[in-house]
């Protein structure tokens, strides 16, 4: 019990050094905030995989977290990875005040590779058809290595959903950066949501599975609510700014955003259903181009302010 309290105290130090809330730190290590809270309060033990991710994010050694004289965990793909997490090698103990050299950017790290392959497989097969063994094979590694970073399949799927949301938000921000005209920005957002490219279609396939999963899973459902609140807020802000610029009519921005995002979702699902694999099967009015035209027509008819003759 004493060791458990000491581990919790060291994790608190890592959280304090990161300068974020416990909820945000829980998101970063891909666990439910309530689990982190129970572990910090001593009513739940941290798993070895959780400690490994905490060590990575906090740039400290697992040995220091455990209060031992041991050092960092062995390489995640090393043979003999056990349920206890990883073998610990001897090295000086480091604390948040004496950090180890920075870990490599996640852009080239194993966790990001795992998440990206998970997203690809979800888009191709669906949530429930993707096994951890499939992800390991796609990453050319072992299931033990996958579990080192993500304790269970649920945590891995949650991380994949979060990554999709973050990527979608980043792409929107990059595409609209520097755009001051609200009408142009709204049309850019519509363009980004039209499933023309392979990447856009893959993203929408994940969203369709997310909707179905959200109806059954509290965790994914919360992510769904969080993402759509942000997405509708983005659209509402653009419409509100357009009203101020005189580009759009004086409409209720929140209501208009709700209607437009619902229309985007409905049309995108039709496009995916009638163009399997990216092929246009010749169904009139249901392709990506028709979707784009319908959305811009909606904006022109319901939002765009009439021009003076």
């Amino acid at each position: 019990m004493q060791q458990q309290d000491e581990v919790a105290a060291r994790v608190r130090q890592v959280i304090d050094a990161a300068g974020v809330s416990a909820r945000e730190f829980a998101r970063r290590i891909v666990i439910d905030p309530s689990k982190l809270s129970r572990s910090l309060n001593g009513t739940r033990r941290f798993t070895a995989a959780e400690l490994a991710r905490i060590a990575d994010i906090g740039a400290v050694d697992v040995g220091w977290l455990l209060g031992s004289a041991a050092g960092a965990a062995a390489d995640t793909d090393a043979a003999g990875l056990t349920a206890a997490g990883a073998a610990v090698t001897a090295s000086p103990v480091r604390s948040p005040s004496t950090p180890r050299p920075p870990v490599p950017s996640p852009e080239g790290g194993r966790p990001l590779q795992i998440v990206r392959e998970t997203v690809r497989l979800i888009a191709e097969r669906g949530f429930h058809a993707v096994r951890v063994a499939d992800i390991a094979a796609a990453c050319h590694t072992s299931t033990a290595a996958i579990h080192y970073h993500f304790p269970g399949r649920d945590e891995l799927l949650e991380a994949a959903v979060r990554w999709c949301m973050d990527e979608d938000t980043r792409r929107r921000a990059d595409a609209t950066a520097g755009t001051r005209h609200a009408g142009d920005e709204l049309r850019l957002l519509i363009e980004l949501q039209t499933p023309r490219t392979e990447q856009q279609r893959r993203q929408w396939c994940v969203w369709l599975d997310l909707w179905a999963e959200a109806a059954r899973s509290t965790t994914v459902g919360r992510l769904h609510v969080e993402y759509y609140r942000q997405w509708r807020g983005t659209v509402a802000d653009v419409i509100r700014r357009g009203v101020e610029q005189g580009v759009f009519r004086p409409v209720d921005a929140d209501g208009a955003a709700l209607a437009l995002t619902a229309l985007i979702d409905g049309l995108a699902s039709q496009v995916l259903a009638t163009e399997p694999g990216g092929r246009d099967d010749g169904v009139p009015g249901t392709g990506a181009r028709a979707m784009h035209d319908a959305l811009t027509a909606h904006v022109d008819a319901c939002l765009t302010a009439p021009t003076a003759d």
Side-chain angles (χ1 to χ4, degrees):
M1 186 66 178
Q2 181 180 356
Q3 183 187 17
Q4 192 171 334
D5 291 340
E6 290 174 354
V7 170
R10 287 180 172 84
V11 172
R12 286 194 185 92
Q13 289 185 46
V14 172
I15 296 173
D16 290 343
V20 298
S21 67
R23 177 173 290 275
E24 170 60 18
F25 195 81
R27 188 190 72 81
R28 293 184 183 185
I29 62 174
V30 201
I31 68 170
D32 189 274
S34 64
K35 289 184 178 180
L36 176 60
S37 178
R38 292 200 303 274
S39 297
L40 292 174
N41 292 333
T43 57
R44 174 186 178 274
R45 289 182 179 275
F46 285 103
T47 67
E50 288 166 1
L51 289 173
R53 293 201 298 277
I54 291 168
D56 270 347
I57 290 173
V60 298
D61 287 335
V62 173
W64 177 81
L65 288 174
L66 294 172
S68 70
D75 182 79
T76 62
D77 284 339
L81 187 67
T82 66
V88 179
T89 59
S91 67
V93 177
R94 298 180 180 92
S95 71
S97 60
T98 57
R100 66 186 177 190
V103 295
S105 167
E107 294 298 327
R110 175 70 83 185
L112 185 59
Q113 180 198 18
I114 293 170
V115 167
R116 282 176 168 165
E117 288 300 318
T118 301
V119 170
R120 181 181 65 80
L121 291 171
I122 289 172
E124 291 177 358
R125 307 179 188 180
F127 266 81
H128 295 288
V130 178
R131 304 172 303 161
V132 173
D134 299 326
I135 298 166
C139 294
H140 305 289
T141 189
S142 65
T143 56
I146 302 294
H147 286 305
Y148 176 80
H149 294 287
F150 303 98
R153 182 177 177 278
D154 289 345
E155 287 86 355
L156 178 52
L157 294 181
E158 181 180 343
V161 170
R162 286 188 182 278
W163 182 79
C164 279
M165 292 176 176
D166 289 345
E167 281 293 289
D168 195 47
T169 301
R170 180 188 61 77
R171 277 192 295 270
R172 290 201 304 266
D174 290 346
T176 59
T179 305
R180 297 185 178 182
H181 189 280
D184 292 343
E185 184 170 350
L186 190 59
R187 284 170 173 77
L188 277 174
L189 292 177
I190 288 173
E191 183 67 33
L192 289 172
Q193 296 302 311
T194 304
R196 298 181 190 273
T197 68
E198 181 181 349
Q199 184 277 327
Q200 286 171 320
R201 294 183 65 85
R202 184 184 302 118
Q203 189 88 344
W204 270 108
C205 284
V206 174
W207 292 149
L208 292 180
D209 256 21
L210 171 61
W211 294 341
E213 191 68 12
R216 306 182 184 96
S217 166
T218 301
T219 299
V220 177
R222 283 198 299 265
L223 290 174
H224 180 270
V225 170
E226 174 188 335
Y227 172 77
Y228 265 84
R229 181 168 54 243
Q230 294 174 357
W231 165 227
R232 283 193 292 265
T234 296
V235 176
D237 287 344
V238 174
I239 294 173
R240 198 171 288 113
R241 191 165 67 256
V243 172
E244 294 172 355
Q245 293 176 353
V247 174
F248 298 143
R249 304 178 190 198
V251 298
D252 170 29
D254 292 324
L258 178 61
L260 180 57
T261 54
L263 185 58
I264 289 172
D265 291 343
L267 288 173
S269 63
Q270 290 185 37
V271 171
L272 293 172
T274 55
E275 294 181 341
R279 300 188 305 273
D280 187 347
D281 289 342
V283 182
T286 56
R289 182 183 295 276
M291 170 183 171
H292 184 270
D293 292 346
L295 290 171
T296 53
H298 171 82
V299 170
D300 289 339
C302 301
L303 294 176
T304 303
T307 57
D309 293 333

